[in-house]
Amino acid sequence: MQRFMITGGYSLSGAVRVSGSKNATLPIMAASLLLDGKCVIRGVPRLRDVAVMRDVLVYLGASVVWEKDVMRIDARRVNCHEVSEELMRRMRASNLVLGPLVGRFRCARISYPGGCNIGSRPMNLHLKGMQAMGVGITEKFGYISARAEKLQGSEIYLDLPSVGATENLMMAAVLAEGKTVIKNAAREPEIVDLQNFLNNMGAKIRGAGTDTVKITGVNSLHGTEHSVIPDRIEAGTHMVAAAITRGDILIANIIPEHLEPVINKLREAGVYVEVKDDQVRVAADKRPRAVDIKTMAYPGFPTDMQPQFMALMTVAEGTSVITETIFENRYKHVMELRRMGADINLEGHTAVVRGVPELTGAYVEASDLRAGAALVLAAMGAENGTVLDHVGHIDRGYERLENKYNALGARIIRVHS
């Protein structure tokens, strides 16, 4: 187990570059299984979740060479259609191999995946969509078996705009016969990036980024090179870091439109935000104003930014109301923020945050990826020192976060507990 020793009270300043998107990289890696050939992915972040997906691909028989931020995948020798339970339990996104395996081989067997325990994320939407395409599904002993004699395009309506289901069904439909239409599809930028990758390989997909995605099946795909988009959640985390430490940070390698909900809320809170091309400067010299947020599917305020923004609101002037509509268990950071002096009351899916002048250091634990990031931000803005345990959660989605913040003037030491 590893922990952070964080000394707060230092304003962050300087420039930081955002890494490639974790949530774009993982489905793109899974999509490489569709190809009886090679592909090159650039801008791949060095994250634990990416390493797990690499292990999944290797387990299935692919060759994966990962040097710096470039990953070369050769899926020609994929010879297994089943992923071990041990690998599946290490990461939620491992279920994204289901669509590509069914699309290419017409069969797959996976166990139910693991990942952060932040709420219910059932597979039923994935499975219903595949059944509509002619896939037979059997669920037994914690495993999902999928098999199809023929994969036929279909019209699919998602009861909820699930990101994972949209991605899995897109990948399954690429090599199906005829046309597939996914309605009420998720609209996240990472889905657009997956569409671009697949189209670069010869797929025929349009509509990603809207609520209707149309896929015309093709007979085969070819190798390609692709650069993943920047990580909008990492960028948003850095923006809050500038605000909570009353610093001044230039954040490079961003796509501004992906960050509009966060930018708007920071400006509403009185934080200076200047956007120029692929950079954003965020500066603050006083306490933020309290603002209300409600998490929504994209293009609304992202649930993955809710914990970090709550950390900022704990030191705001006034009272803010934060409503979580995506995951029912995404308030585990509340108790830890309270240990640091935050005044937060929970009422169902709503948190009422009364700002205090300053947080104080404490011993806290990261329960999941974004909760861990929120506690890092809170600790950097607090007085005295904080011990943050279970930082392995943070490594799942942030590329050596302490190194980036130390380069901006933070005081964070990683130690083995």
Side-chain angles (χ1 to χ4, degrees):
M1 186 189 303
Q2 297 183 29
R3 59 173 49 153
F4 284 160
M5 313 288 288
I6 305 172
T7 303
Y10 293 91
S11 295
L12 302 190
S13 64
V16 63
R17 181 176 176 82
V18 175
S19 301
S21 168
K22 172 182 83 82
N23 290 335
T25 298
L26 296 176
I28 286 172
M29 289 175 65
S32 70
L33 294 170
L34 285 163
L35 178 64
D36 186 12
K38 303 177 183 180
C39 64
V40 178
I41 309 170
R42 303 188 184 277
V44 176
R46 283 275 170 180
L47 303 174
R48 279 183 53 191
D49 275 10
V50 176
V52 172
M53 184 62 84
R54 172 201 58 193
D55 293 345
V56 169
L57 299 186
V58 170
Y59 181 91
L60 291 169
S63 168
V64 182
V65 178
W66 189 8
E67 297 175 337
K68 295 183 179 179
D69 68 343
V70 178
M71 183 175 287
R72 292 175 170 82
I73 303 173
D74 184 346
R76 288 178 296 179
R77 292 186 174 87
V78 171
N79 53 15
C80 178
H81 310 146
E82 178 177 335
V83 183
S84 74
E85 183 177 8
E86 187 275 330
L87 279 174
M88 291 294 298
R89 288 190 175 276
R90 285 164 58 187
M91 182 183 64
R92 174 69 191 179
S94 55
N95 67 356
L96 291 173
V97 302
L98 180 62
L101 290 176
V102 169
R104 180 175 170 187
F105 300 106
R106 303 298 191 259
C107 64
R109 187 171 187 262
I110 64 172
S111 72
Y112 282 94
C116 285
N117 184 20
I118 57 175
S120 176
R121 292 182 283 184
M123 289 283 294
N124 62 305
L125 298 180
H126 306 238
L127 304 183
K128 283 174 61 178
M130 290 190 185
Q131 287 174 322
M133 298 170 66
V135 180
I137 302 292
T138 304
E139 299 178 69
K140 187 179 294 185
F141 306 121
Y143 274 84
I144 300 168
S145 296
R147 183 175 294 275
E149 295 297 325
K150 179 181 178 182
L151 204 57
Q152 183 66 48
S154 178
E155 184 169 301
I156 300 166
Y157 180 85
L158 298 180
D159 295 334
L160 297 170
S162 162
V163 174
T166 301
E167 292 170 337
N168 240 335
L169 295 172
M170 282 172 61
M171 292 185 283
V174 164
L175 296 174
E177 295 182 18
K179 178 179 287 188
T180 299
V181 179
I182 305 172
K183 295 187 175 181
N184 197 31
R187 300 166 57 187
E188 273 70 4
E190 295 78 16
I191 295 173
V192 178
D193 208 30
L194 176 62
Q195 172 185 270
N196 293 340
F197 174 73
L198 291 169
N199 284 347
N200 288 344
M201 289 200 299
K204 294 181 179 179
I205 309 173
R206 58 190 176 94
T210 74
D211 62 0
T212 303
V213 181
K214 298 178 181 179
I215 308 102
T216 301
V218 298
N219 293 325
S220 63
L221 301 171
H222 54 75
T224 190
E225 294 193 13
H226 181 82
S227 295
V228 299
I229 58 175
D231 195 306
R232 60 192 172 99
I233 304 302
E234 182 194 338
T237 302
H238 298 334
M239 294 170 71
V240 175
I244 202 168
T245 65
R246 300 183 192 178
D248 188 339
I249 302 177
L250 181 67
I251 304 163
N253 191 35
I254 69 159
I255 300 176
E257 52 265 35
H258 294 174
L259 294 165
E260 285 181 356
V262 178
I263 290 171
N264 291 338
K265 283 298 176 182
L266 285 173
R267 285 175 172 163
E268 187 181 339
V271 177
Y272 176 80
V273 181
E274 179 187 15
V275 179
K276 185 176 181 180
D277 299 327
D278 65 347
Q279 299 180 338
V280 60
R281 180 188 168 206
V282 182
D285 58 6
K286 59 185 178 181
R287 290 174 66 187
R289 294 191 297 267
V291 298
D292 298 338
I293 67 168
K294 182 178 182 179
T295 63
M296 302 283 286
Y298 188 86
F301 193 92
T303 179
D304 280 355
M305 281 299 302
Q306 177 260 106
Q308 301 92 307
F309 213 85
M310 181 184 288
L312 178 63
M313 290 297 96
T314 63
V315 293
E317 292 184 348
T319 299
S320 60
V321 178
I322 298 175
T323 306
E324 174 61 54
T325 70
I326 308 298
F327 294 121
E328 65 271 20
N329 292 336
R330 195 154 222 173
Y331 281 136
K332 293 185 177 181
H333 48 286
V334 168
M335 181 61 71
E336 305 306 297
L337 290 171
R338 285 173 177 164
R339 294 178 191 273
M340 302 179 70
D343 183 353
I344 308 171
N345 288 323
L346 286 180
E347 301 173 3
H349 296 295
T350 300
V352 179
V353 186
R354 296 176 179 85
V356 298
E358 192 171 33
L359 299 177
T360 57
Y363 174 87
V364 292
E365 297 183 0
S367 58
D368 58 74
L369 168 56
R370 306 305 175 185
L375 294 172
V376 170
L377 301 179
M380 290 193 299
E383 62 177 355
N384 302 323
T386 295
V387 177
L388 173 56
D389 242 334
H390 301 295
V391 299
H393 287 297
I394 299 171
D395 295 333
R396 289 186 46 240
Y398 294 92
E399 194 169 18
R400 277 291 181 176
L401 189 63
E402 76 275 22
N403 290 357
K404 292 189 175 183
Y405 285 158
N406 285 341
L408 297 172
R411 302 292 189 273
I412 306 175
I413 300 172
R414 180 188 290 258
V415 297
H416 291 273
S417 58

